[in-house]
Amino acid sequence: MRIKVNNKETELPEASTLQQVAETLALPARGVAMAVNNRMVPRAEWPTRIICENDSLVVIKAACGG
Amino acid sequence: MDKLIIAGKEFNSRLFLGTGKFNSNDLMEKALLASGTEMVTVAMKRIDLEDKEDDMLRHIVHPHIQLLPNTSGVRNAEEAVFAAQMAREAFGTNWLKLEIHPDPRYLLPDTVETLKATEQLVKLGFVVLPYCQADPVLCKQLEEAGAATVMPLGAPIGTNRGLQTREFLQIIIEQAGIPVVVDAGIGAPSHAAEAMELGASAVLVNTAIAVAGNPVRMAVAFKNAVEAGREAYEAGLGGSTPLFEASASSPLTAFLDK
């Protein structure tokens, strides 16, 4: 199935959880957050959150700034 | 020197640092440690999946440092609330530097959206430190909305132009019931000392340290300037300028009292 990650088309296996997406993307253990369709999903819910076709993910991480 | 207290938390340092524009993360970390700061801002960006860069958090996370995620990049209150929720999750803190500056040229904060976002974020349990115009009326409104501090600007971000808003900062400080942190525009240790002498609770510095010839030594210079300015304020400056109150040129009361 196809989803968008930070506006980029990405192919994923069916019935992936957000946790599996995080693993596929090799996200670091801290300093990241994910939102599905513009709603933040707490890390504790990643293992149970099923990602559907055409979902749009925003994945952010820490950056330098003032 | 009195301790600074924000939202019930004590700080020994009155110098807050930003983490932008340093040449390297190593240099940034050395400057942070040399400055003695206990409050450090961080930003967020969308992950570039191809780019495996250094983990910058590793250089910032120290037991004595409170992380202050910012909402830089948002254009309105709705986006700020979303960014705040992402920040709370990513950094594990409910402290937030709220900044909403939709215009990329001057990066001036949007007053209406900043006040609206502050009201919403306080209700959501965030400790909100809003970057704002040096507007005394707005600063009281932010305080009433539950902001933990106000952070009025001295001059536009990154300009190093010092306290261009000095007259208004004085009024803000005189009226404030919460800490006033002068943010943006502080380009030299003398500006930081000036803000502290006026009675600011703290200053936030980034560009002036990050782009200095020697950022670590400049961090020390700012540390000393902030301490000197605060010490002078607490000692009671002789012959300080009295606050000039406005004197109405229109008969306000005649209109209000029938």
Side-chain angles (χ1 to χ4, degrees), chain A residues 5-8 25 27 30-35 38-40 42-43 58-66, chain B residues 19-20 25 41 43-47 49-50 53 55-58 70 82 85-86 89-91 97 99 206:
Chain A
V5 178
N6 291 344
N7 286 327
K8 204 173 151 191
L25 302 178
L27 296 187
R30 64 174 182 180
V32 296
M34 288 204 280
N38 286 324
R39 294 190 78 89
M40 190 276 293
R43 189 179 276 264
V58 173
V59 187
I60 62 95
K61 70 169 190 171
C64 294
Chain B
T19 54
N25 288 341
T41 66
M44 293 177 289
K45 65 177 182 184
R46 291 184 175 216
I47 280 188
L49 299 171
E50 269 88 62
E53 60 192 357
D55 172 18
M56 59 83 70
L57 269 186
R58 180 167 66 84
N70 71 30
F82 175 64
Q85 288 166 331
M86 295 292 270
E89 180 67 15
F91 300 107
K97 177 183 173 185
E99 49 180 305
N206 187 347

Side-chain angles (χ1 to χ4, degrees), chain B residues 71 74 76-81 84 96 98-100 110-124 126 128 130 142 145:
Chain B
T71 61
V74 309
N76 54 46
E78 186 184 352
E79 290 180 2
V81 170
L96 188 77
L98 173 64
E99 49 180 305
I100 304 178
D110 183 320
T111 295
V112 174
E113 295 297 318
T114 299
L115 181 57
K116 204 194 296 182
T118 298
E119 287 165 349
Q120 293 175 19
L121 289 164
V122 167
K123 284 181 188 146
L124 291 169
F126 287 91
V128 184
L142 290 166

Side-chain angles (χ1 to χ4, degrees), chain B residues 166-167 170 198 237-244:
Chain B
R166 181 187 163 101
E167 294 295 318
Q170 279 187 288
L198 287 180
L237 281 169
S240 24
T241 321
L243 191 67
F244 293 104

Side-chain angles (χ1 to χ4, degrees), chain B residues 27-257:
Chain B
L27 190 59
M28 172 184 74
E29 185 173 18
K30 288 194 179 90
L32 293 180
L33 295 176
S35 74
T37 187
E38 295 175 347
M39 180 93 87
V40 172
T41 66
V42 285
M44 293 177 289
K45 65 177 182 184
R46 291 184 175 216
I47 280 188
D48 176 354
L49 299 171
E50 269 88 62
D51 183 12
K52 300 289 177 212
E53 60 192 357
D54 186 23
D55 172 18
M56 59 83 70
L57 269 186
R58 180 167 66 84
H59 299 271
I60 298 175
V61 173
H62 289 275
H64 65 286
I65 291 179
Q66 168 70 51
L67 284 186
L68 186 62
N70 71 30
T71 61
S72 186
V74 309
R75 290 160 296 188
N76 54 46
E78 186 184 352
E79 290 180 2
V81 170
F82 175 64
Q85 288 166 331
M86 295 292 270
R88 180 155 62 181
E89 180 67 15
F91 300 107
T93 177
N94 60 352
W95 287 56
L96 188 77
K97 177 183 173 185
L98 173 64
E99 49 180 305
I100 304 178
H101 39 71
D103 164 30
R105 186 166 180 213
Y106 292 108
L107 299 173
L108 291 170
D110 183 320
T111 295
V112 174
E113 295 297 318
T114 299
L115 181 57
K116 204 194 296 182
T118 298
E119 287 165 349
Q120 293 175 19
L121 289 164
V122 167
K123 284 181 188 146
L124 291 169
F126 287 91
V127 175
V128 184
L129 291 76
Y131 167 59
C132 62
Q133 298 281 0
D135 174 346
V137 176
L138 169 68
C139 286
K140 282 313 277 184
Q141 289 169 330
L142 290 166
E143 180 178 337
E144 283 156 17
T149 70
V150 286
M151 302 214 289
L153 57 85
I157 293 172
T159 59
N160 289 344
R161 286 164 56 79
L163 306 187
Q164 299 297 318
T165 58
R166 181 187 163 101
E167 294 295 318
F168 297 111
L169 290 173
Q170 279 187 288
I171 299 172
I172 291 166
I173 291 165
E174 190 258 338
Q175 294 190 137
I178 53 177
V180 176
V181 182
V182 178
D183 181 8
I186 292 179
S190 56
H191 301 154
E194 184 184 358
M196 299 309 295
E197 286 173 7
L198 287 180
S201 301
V203 295
L204 198 161
V205 181
N206 187 347
T207 303
I209 292 175
V211 306
N214 184 327
V216 179
R217 291 186 67 180
M218 189 57 78
V220 174
F222 269 96
K223 175 180 193 282
N224 293 337
V226 167
E227 287 173 2
R230 181 66 192 183
E231 192 66 15
Y233 172 75
E234 288 181 17
L237 281 169
S240 24
T241 321
L243 191 67
F244 293 104
E245 289 183 12
S247 171
S249 55
S250 300
L252 298 172
T253 50
F255 173 76
L256 292 170
D257 300 333

